[in-house]
Amino acid sequence: MAKEAVEGGAPGPSGGMSGLTVQVDGQTWSCQDRQSDEDVNPHTLCANTSRESEQVRLYS
């Protein structure tokens, strides 16, 4: 379900990527699909916009 929400969301902060912004307990989180060399499994990365060191990876 998260994958469908991100793919159907508005463009993310980087401009061209699909993304989703959510509010959790008054904090804004920005989520985007990712795939990196370190983690070859596609996933969605969500980061707290006020504390970018707070991140969550969602796998489906």
Side-chain angles (χ1 to χ4, degrees):
M1 182 189 272
K3 183 175 176 13
E4 288 83 7
V6 171
E7 288 175 348
S14 66
M17 298 179 70
S18 293
L20 177 69
T21 301
V22 295
Q23 292 282 323
V24 179
D25 289 334
Q27 299 290 312
T28 302
W29 290 74
S30 178
C31 304
Q32 293 184 332
D33 287 337
R34 301 288 178 149
Q35 185 170 359
S36 66
D37 291 336
E38 297 96 37
D39 190 351
V40 295
N41 296 318
H43 61 279
T44 299
L45 177 66
C46 298
N48 186 330
T49 59
S50 62
R51 286 184 233 138
E52 291 188 19
S53 62
E54 292 183 8
Q55 299 181 348
V56 175
R57 291 180 186 199
L58 305 173
Y59 294 89
S60 58

